[in-house]
């Protein structure tokens, strides 16, 4: 399957074996620049992380998504070994902005 699943449980389901079933929740917040349309991300905080911990931001490439990125970059597994959090933003999926998932910077080039 080549679909970029960005559903609420996409990373939790795909990485259940790797994380021992630990949840990787998706959060969505309104984007004031895009008229309140939501921008979503996943956040993985391993059970071993306590208090303030380092945060790695995993920016997937154009035409990709957090699900595919986690399969290849292994940040989730590394975060479990070294007790840090990983932030997986979901690129723009609005067809009015871009033809494929990417990161859009207002006033900048859509195709980063």
């Amino acid at each position: 399957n080549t679909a970029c699943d960005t559903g609420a449980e996409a990373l939790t389901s795909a990485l259940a074996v790797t994380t021992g079933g630990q949840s990787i929740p998706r959060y969505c917040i309104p984007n004031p620049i895009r008229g309140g349309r939501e921008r979503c991300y996943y956040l993985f905080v391993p059970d071993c992380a306590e208090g303030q911990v380092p945060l790695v931001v995993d920016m997937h490439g154009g035409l990709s998504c957090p699900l595919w990125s986690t399969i290849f970059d292994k940040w989730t597994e590394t975060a479990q070994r070294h007790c840090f959090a990983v932030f997986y933003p979901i690129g723009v999926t609005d067809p009015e902005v871009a033809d494929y998932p990417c990161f859009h910077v207002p006033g900048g080039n859509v195709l980063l």
Side-chain angles (χ1 to χ4, degrees):
N1 183 1
T2 59
C4 250
D5 184 357
T6 57
E9 299 296 321
L11 297 191
T12 298
S13 297
L15 300 174
V17 172
T18 303
T19 64
Q22 185 176 343
S23 179
I24 305 175
R26 184 187 72 181
Y27 300 93
C28 296
I29 57 175
N31 179 353
I33 294 170
R34 294 290 300 150
R37 291 183 185 166
E38 289 186 331
R39 289 297 304 269
C40 300
Y41 62 92
Y42 298 94
L43 181 63
F44 177 65
V45 181
D47 290 334
C48 64
E50 295 180 11
Q52 293 183 347
V53 297
L55 175 68
V56 169
V57 177
D58 184 353
M59 301 282 289
H60 66 77
L63 297 174
S64 189
C65 64
L67 176 60
W68 293 350
S69 188
T70 60
I71 293 168
F72 296 106
D73 66 23
K74 307 297 183 198
W75 277 119
T76 306
E77 293 92 331
T78 305
Q80 286 182 299
R81 284 195 306 278
H82 299 284
C83 300
F84 60 82
V86 186
F87 176 81
Y88 297 98
I90 300 172
V92 172
T93 56
D94 183 347
E96 291 181 23
V97 176
D99 293 331
Y100 57 84
C102 64
F103 293 95
H104 176 239
V105 178
N109 189 348
V110 173
L111 307 175
L112 297 179

